[in-house]
Amino acid sequence: FLYFPETHGITFRIQISVKELLDTDVHLKLLFHLPVNYPSTVPDISVSSDQLTRAQCMDVKDKLLEEAKKHLSEPMVHDLILWIQQHLKYVIKQSATVCNEKTTLSKGISTEDGIWMLLLHLDHMRAKAKYVKTVEKWASDLRLTGRLMFVGKIILILLQGDRSNIKEYLILQKTCKVDVDSSGKKCKEKMISVLCETKVQSQHKRFQTFEVQEYSTLDELQKEFETAGLTTLFSEFVPPLLK
């Protein structure tokens, strides 16, 4: 941390290293200018990195400013640093190239694999409202579309997006505390089944958004799959869940 006192506030120049794509460190240089009325006002933020494009640095800056607005009236620089360390991979646009002098790091996250689809089955949700909100946030952060579907006791999550983002979603789903146990304590998801993970084919409809849907009958759920060109997927994986 380097401190530069100024007439109109204080400037922090901070360098951090974030474990990012393909397990390669990305070095970020962050400049926080704290105005005199900080923290009632968000700081001015500047972001630079030798391994990110200018557009990606702007994305990081914009997201940090969005996050800063959530912490008004409380010290936030430390929280913002922790936040970007945890969320950098979601902030960087998948279409952009991340590179240094010798290697191109974006190879592993390119869309050369096409769009993939994932169908998950959850056994239950005790803290339903919080769980649903978490799934919606992950889908948004990872730019995944699809449906969270409820019919009777069946809970399904259907996702479409870049294969790397779908893999990342699975990691979050299995490692984060998303529900509560019978005693009300936060717990990880242990009752999840990956029913299908496959490349989206030409006959499959692409979902444009991620939505939460509740169906009163199995027929309604089946029509949702049929409309999306996923009749085979439904008949192969959903009926067995009723047994």
Side-chain angles (χ1 to χ4, degrees):
F1 288 71
L2 299 178
Y3 300 84
F4 297 94
E6 294 182 357
T7 307
H8 301 291
I10 298 176
T11 297
F12 291 75
R13 191 183 303 276
I14 300 163
Q15 296 189 38
I16 61 173
S17 181
V18 183
K19 185 69 73 175
E20 180 45 32
L21 313 173
L22 302 185
D23 291 328
T24 300
D25 288 347
V26 170
H27 302 286
L28 287 181
K29 299 173 184 176
L30 306 174
L31 192 73
F32 293 90
H33 173 68
L34 310 185
V36 179
N37 54 351
Y38 168 86
S40 297
T41 303
V42 298
D44 292 324
I45 302 173
S46 176
V47 179
S48 61
S49 172
D50 294 336
Q51 294 151 290
L52 303 182
T53 65
R54 182 174 297 180
Q56 288 171 323
C57 288
M58 286 299 295
D59 284 338
V60 173
K61 174 185 173 180
D62 290 345
K63 291 298 184 183
L64 279 171
L65 286 173
E66 284 181 23
E67 190 66 19
K69 291 175 183 176
K70 301 176 184 178
H71 295 274
L72 280 176
S73 300
E74 61 185 55
M76 64 185 79
V77 173
H78 180 65
D79 288 336
L80 294 178
I81 294 170
L82 292 178
W83 187 88
I84 198 58
Q85 286 177 318
Q86 295 170 0
H87 293 84
L88 181 64
K89 66 180 68 177
Y90 309 137
V91 175
I92 295 174
K93 288 185 176 179
Q94 299 296 316
S95 59
T97 303
V98 183
C99 62
N100 58 23
E101 293 178 356
K102 297 180 180 180
T103 61
T104 299
L105 308 179
S106 62
K107 183 178 179 183
I109 60 155
S110 71
T111 56
E112 62 187 4
D113 285 334
I115 302 301
W116 279 68
M117 180 166 54
L118 178 71
L119 182 62
L120 300 173
H121 173 241
L122 300 181
D123 185 73
H124 62 271
M125 287 184 180
R126 283 196 175 94
K128 183 177 178 180
K130 180 180 180 297
Y131 203 132
V132 168
K133 189 175 181 180
T134 300
V135 171
E136 287 179 312
K137 184 181 187 307
W138 288 342
S140 175
D141 288 345
L142 294 167
R143 292 180 290 282
L144 299 174
T145 61
R147 298 286 185 268
L148 170 53
M149 301 173 283
F150 297 89
V151 58
K153 293 185 178 181
I154 295 177
I155 307 170
L156 299 171
I157 302 177
L158 180 62
L159 298 170
Q160 292 179 345
D162 284 356
R163 193 176 189 184
S164 59
N165 287 2
I166 283 180
K167 298 280 189 190
E168 188 66 37
Y169 178 92
L170 268 177
I171 292 172
L172 290 170
Q173 181 76 68
K174 293 178 179 179
T175 59
C176 295
K177 292 182 178 180
V178 291
D179 206 1
V180 296
D181 60 21
S182 56
S183 61
K185 293 182 180 179
K186 292 181 179 180
C187 65
K188 297 177 182 178
E189 178 58 73
K190 298 177 181 178
M191 304 286 284
I192 185 171
S193 303
V194 178
L195 301 180
C196 180
E197 184 177 355
T198 184
K199 191 172 183 179
V200 171
Q201 304 299 322
S202 57
Q203 71 270 24
H204 299 153
K205 173 189 170 184
R206 286 289 310 280
F207 291 104
Q208 299 303 310
T209 58
F210 182 82
E211 298 176 11
V212 180
Q213 299 281 4
E214 301 214 20
Y215 307 90
S216 56
T217 66
L218 198 63
D219 286 341
E220 287 184 11
L221 178 64
Q222 185 172 353
K223 286 177 182 177
E224 176 83 79
F225 275 79
E226 290 174 351
T227 302
L230 301 171
T231 304
T232 303
L233 190 72
F234 178 89
S235 59
E236 185 173 351
F237 295 105
V238 179
L241 299 176
L242 299 171
K243 297 176 181 178

